[in-house]
Amino acid sequence: MNSSIFGPTYQEMLHPEVLTASIRKQAEAARANELDPYNLFNISWKDFDNKVRHVLLPRELTGVEANIIVLVGREFPSGSHKVGPAYSTLLESELAGEIQPGESTIIGPSTGNFGIGVAYISKLAGYPAVVIMPEGMSSERYQRIRNYGGQLDLTPGSESDVILVLERTEHYKKDSRNKVLAQFELLPNYRFHRFVSGGSALEAAKAYGNGGVAAFVAAPGSAGTLAAGDEIKAAFPEAVVCALEPRECSTLFNNGRGTHRIEGIGDKMVTLIHNVLTTDYVMLIHDDDCVLGLELLQHQQKFVEAALHLRANALQFLRGIFGISGICNIVGAIRTARLLGLGAGENVVTIATDGFDRYPSVLEDLAQRRGPLTETMLAGEFERIFRTASAADLLDVRGPQEKQRLFSYKENFWTKFGYSLAYLESMKSQSFWENEYGKIGDIDATHTHARRIMALAT
Ligand SMILES: Cc1ncc(COP(=O)(O)O)c(C=O)c1O
């Protein structure tokens, strides 16, 4: 089809049920062949029964009264919800006339999933793609990018060395034929997550408890996903948004920087598209808790079921749906419920960005580092990871002093990449974010028009 314009509007990603029956049928058939362009219409949290893909964690597992609802991202084309911002950014660039198949090369700075999404979308839309990412990420990620025909440009280090990726990106920006899909900077990422992920989170929560959302919890990488919190707050102003960080790289918490094991998050910066106005809390999570938590829910389910007196296979529905950051998010959601005293009937929503398929090597590494885990060790780890929460790990960032600290971090960082103080100043007002969000109607209208013209021409 050679254009992302062929794909869905924002409205159609949130509500794929509005697509024609014929497109829906072709999209469903396309799931058998990843590279069928009709998969663009599968960029949605919804399945073919129009249900938001999610799970409700069993209370026996969480140990809290509040409902912990997890949106499941691994069913998105390319295996993670990061394909959504990749598509939206490419699409908006095409609609703005900045790029054209056959003329432009797409550049995806990433730590993995966004890069996978960029390579995938570029392949479907007919563009060559270069993914810039650190050399120390899980091997499954590089393989996916190569499978989609993406070229890799690797920078030294791992997850928390994204700054080197951004610096390398500057080099590509010098050639006008290159289009950088800058997930940390460009607002389609905000728009996709606020409108599509936020709207889907609200829809999923309707079926549980009081039908509202008391808290939205997510570990930011680009902080795109966190934008869902803005949509949730628009519907439920009392809702709180909690951003999770690796204890080993506590940038939002206390300007800390370090290396860690939670791929996709904790990138040593306050990203440009992070609306810090609506982030209420920051919580630290130990990176190895997430790796061990994944081991418990992926490989040690029988042990966990027995320890929780659950019937055999009661947790099987959770197998495969979490990556490391997904475990970080559920652990953070449970601890948020515990520390904020959220009770029965209240809903906490979080997200599993990708599934286990891209982390077997990480659990193999755990086995090498830790050796065999005895039942006593597993019981101790379970208790610590899923049942304990320390108030010292939760920082309230609602006050003016904390907001100022986050704004200052953002300014110091992004002025180095050419952003003006005036632009950064404008981001300190909620109206900036409402204005960006408000563009969705016009973008969808332009898109629908362009798609009609394209259809007439083919
Ligand atoms: C596995 C994983 N989890 C979480 C995130 C963070 O999502 P966001 O960039 O929307 O903050 C990413 C981002 O790439 C990711 O790959």
Side-chain angles (χ1 to χ4, degrees):
M1 218 52 68
N2 278 1
S3 171
S4 58
I5 290 171
F6 169 69
T9 61
Y10 281 105
Q11 191 63 239
E12 290 161 348
M13 288 189 275
L14 176 60
H15 294 299
E17 61 273 20
V18 302
L19 291 164
T20 63
S22 148
I23 290 182
R24 284 288 265 172
K25 224 169 128 192
Q26 289 181 84
E28 193 166 0
R31 284 182 72 87
N33 170 14
E34 260 205 309
L35 296 182
D36 182 331
Y38 272 92
N39 277 303
L40 292 174
F41 294 97
N42 293 325
I43 299 178
S44 174
W45 289 98
K46 287 194 171 173
D47 62 19
F48 292 99
D49 295 324
N50 300 321
K51 298 263 181 339
V52 174
R53 293 187 176 94
H54 72 280
V55 292
L56 177 71
L57 295 184
R59 203 150 289 153
E60 293 86 346
L61 176 70
T62 66
V64 294
E65 287 297 318
N67 296 311
I68 310 290
I69 300 162
V70 189
L71 267 52
V72 174
R74 72 162 182 183
E75 298 299 328
F76 274 85
S78 88
S80 94
H81 79 44
K82 292 291 296 185
V83 74
Y87 166 73
S88 301
T89 316
L90 186 75
L91 171 70
E92 287 197 26
S93 303
E94 257 194 86
L95 290 174
E98 295 165 1
I99 53 171
Q100 256 190 45
E103 287 184 10
S104 318
T105 297
I106 304 302
I107 313 297
S110 172
T111 55
N113 280 327
F114 184 72
I116 293 171
V118 166
Y120 178 76
I121 289 296
S122 301
K123 175 91 181 157
L124 296 198
Y127 294 88
V130 179
V131 177
I132 312 171
M133 62 189 278
E135 64 192 359
M137 310 308 292
S138 70
S139 50
E140 293 85 349
R141 284 168 151 68
Y142 305 123
Q143 200 46 51
R144 277 253 187 183
I145 290 167
R146 288 196 190 98
N147 289 351
Y148 297 142
Q151 239 188 72
L152 281 163
D153 182 355
L154 301 182
T155 54
S158 61
E159 180 59 54
S160 37
D161 298 298
V162 176
I163 290 158
L164 299 178
V165 170
L166 291 184
E167 283 167 2
R168 181 75 56 88
T169 306
E170 292 301 298
H171 155 80
Y172 284 92
K173 281 184 181 167
K174 288 181 193 142
D175 185 337
S176 61
R177 285 166 302 179
N178 291 332
K179 172 69 194 176
V180 179
L181 303 189
Q183 57 165 330
F184 303 100
E185 302 161 56
L186 297 178
L187 288 146
N189 190 2
Y190 176 82
R191 280 188 274 277
F192 173 83
H193 280 299
R194 175 160 174 186
F195 188 71
V196 183
S197 302
S200 302
L202 287 167
E203 194 165 329
K206 265 191 206 155
Y208 299 102
N210 60 17
V213 179
F216 178 71
V217 180
S222 71
T225 306
L226 269 187
D230 284 20
E231 194 71 349
I232 288 167
K233 282 188 171 209
F236 300 104
E238 300 304 315
V240 297
V241 172
C242 181
L244 308 172
E245 277 192 320
R247 176 184 299 289
E248 295 72 18
C249 186
S250 54
T251 311
L252 301 176
F253 198 89
N254 59 6
N255 296 13
R257 296 152 75 92
T259 49
H260 66 91
R261 296 174 189 279
I262 314 176
E263 296 187 29
I265 71 156
D267 293 334
K268 276 190 191 156
M269 68 175 110
V270 181
T271 67
L272 194 71
I273 60 141
H274 182 172
N275 178 11
V276 298
L277 292 168
T278 49
T279 299
D280 300 301
Y281 294 94
V282 178
M283 189 192 289
L284 297 181
I285 310 274
H286 186 10
D287 63 354
D288 235 18
D289 281 6
C290 305
V291 178
L292 277 157
L294 184 59
E295 170 73 13
L296 281 162
L297 292 190
Q298 184 67 29
H299 289 159
Q300 309 289 349
Q301 278 198 348
K302 287 202 180 346
F303 167 82
V304 178
E305 285 161 1
L308 299 177
H309 307 291
L310 289 165
R311 62 176 169 74
N313 298 328
L315 298 179
Q316 192 156 25
F317 73 108
L318 300 179
R319 185 162 296 166
I321 67 173
F322 298 115
I324 312 168
S325 75
I327 299 290
C328 179
N329 282 350
I330 64 169
V331 169
I334 295 167
R335 291 181 187 172
T336 298
R338 195 163 274 140
L339 290 169
L340 299 185
L342 301 178
E346 294 194 281
N347 295 326
V348 180
V349 181
T350 191
I351 275 176
T353 299
D354 57 7
F356 181 66
D357 57 299
R358 45 201 73 178
Y359 300 101
S361 63
V362 174
L363 291 192
E364 283 156 24
D365 172 65
L366 174 73
Q368 296 241 321
R369 284 191 288 121
R370 295 286 298 258
L373 294 162
T374 63
E375 293 218 337
T376 315
M377 285 156 92
L378 288 173
E381 298 294 4
F382 180 83
E383 192 61 25
R384 198 171 47 72
I385 296 167
F386 289 98
R387 288 286 190 272
T388 51
S390 162
D393 290 339
L394 187 69
L395 180 71
D396 185 340
V397 293
R398 288 174 297 180
Q401 228 173 323
E402 288 299 335
K403 292 286 183 234
Q404 193 46 49
R405 179 178 61 82
L406 294 166
F407 286 141
S408 298
Y409 197 102
K410 202 170 177 176
E411 273 168 18
N412 288 337
F413 189 95
W414 289 103
T415 46
K416 287 190 202 112
F417 289 95
Y419 285 93
S420 70
L421 277 175
Y423 184 66
L424 286 153
E425 191 63 31
S426 69
M427 291 182 149
K428 294 182 184 171
S429 159
Q430 185 61 22
S431 60
F432 171 90
W433 303 96
E434 297 308 325
N435 181 44
E436 287 300 331
Y437 176 70
K439 291 178 182 170
I440 287 176
D442 281 349
I443 294 166
D444 274 4
T446 309
H447 183 183
T448 310
H449 180 67
R451 212 165 52 183
R452 251 186 234 127
I453 290 174
M454 197 174 88
L456 286 174
T458 50

